[in-house]
Amino acid sequence: MVPNAGGGSLALVTMGVGWDPAAQRRWLPGRTKDIDLNAAALLFANDAIVDVVYHEQLMSQDGSVRHLGDSTTGEGDGDDELITMDLTRIAPQISTVILLVTCYTGQTFEQIDNAFCRVIDGMTETEIARYNLSKIHAHTGFLAGKLVRTQQGWEFRSIDEEIQAEHPVEAVPQLAPFLV
């Protein structure tokens, strides 16, 4: 459980995902397959999924969660995909937001150079959590953590679990244990 650095509950949170493009393999002729990691936020009312924000739906129904654009290559330094969450505007029935990373192109994280996921308190610009995804073996999905609405406000709770999922839809059936 992580409240914001100044105490109290979280108000603005960003999830950033970054990775390096697929390197050309000298011993393989032709082009390598691009790597496309995807950041996703899945919004739940208790154990029922209500909304998903990811590369195919860039904004939640209430406008409080936004995906800032899909990188399909990992080109450039720093975060390649960002999801911003204004927790003060999330619909009142939403109790949990699960933060997910999947590899849409099917590579396991160990096959991806410098892959990471980080969660940032948007009010203080402090990193709440950082995960080195390149150390994950034989999985295509990663549950970073969840934002949980409590009586005191929103809190971040790390999950740090690997799953098999190339798309958020494939992850949904695996999320029930993390909604309690």
Side-chain angles (χ1 to χ4, degrees), residues 47-156:
D47 61 354
I49 191 156
V50 174
D51 207 350
V52 180
V53 175
Y54 65 117
H55 71 281
E56 294 174 14
Q57 180 174 311
L58 299 178
M59 186 170 40
S60 61
Q61 295 167 19
D62 64 10
S64 64
V65 180
R66 295 173 184 256
H67 191 296
L68 301 183
D70 184 23
S71 171
T72 58
T73 63
E75 295 286 343
D77 293 331
D79 300 312
D80 295 306
E81 291 196 12
L82 291 166
I83 293 182
T84 61
M85 294 156 273
D86 182 346
L87 303 175
T88 67
R89 294 183 48 224
I90 286 185
Q93 75 270 22
I94 302 301
S95 57
T96 306
V97 179
I98 291 189
L99 305 178
L100 168 71
V101 181
T102 58
C103 185
Y104 192 66
T105 46
Q107 293 93 341
T108 60
F109 289 114
E110 67 190 348
Q111 298 171 313
I112 304 168
D113 292 333
N114 301 314
F116 68 88
C117 172
R118 63 192 193 118
V119 181
I120 302 132
D121 178 336
M123 296 296 287
T124 64
E125 295 301 317
T126 303
E127 231 176 56
I128 299 170
R130 185 177 189 90
Y131 306 95
N132 180 349
L133 303 180
S134 297
K135 290 185 177 182
I136 298 172
H137 299 285
H139 290 87
T140 56
F142 178 73
L143 299 171
K146 62 184 177 180
L147 294 158
V148 179
R149 190 189 302 263
T150 70
Q151 289 183 345
Q152 293 75 35
W154 287 94
E155 297 175 348
F156 175 78

Side-chain angles (χ1 to χ4, degrees), residues 100 131 136 139 141-145 158-163 178:
L100 168 71
Y131 306 95
I136 298 172
H139 290 87
F142 178 73
L143 299 171
S158 182
I159 296 175
D160 195 5
E161 290 279 334
E162 302 115 14
I163 61 171
F178 306 102

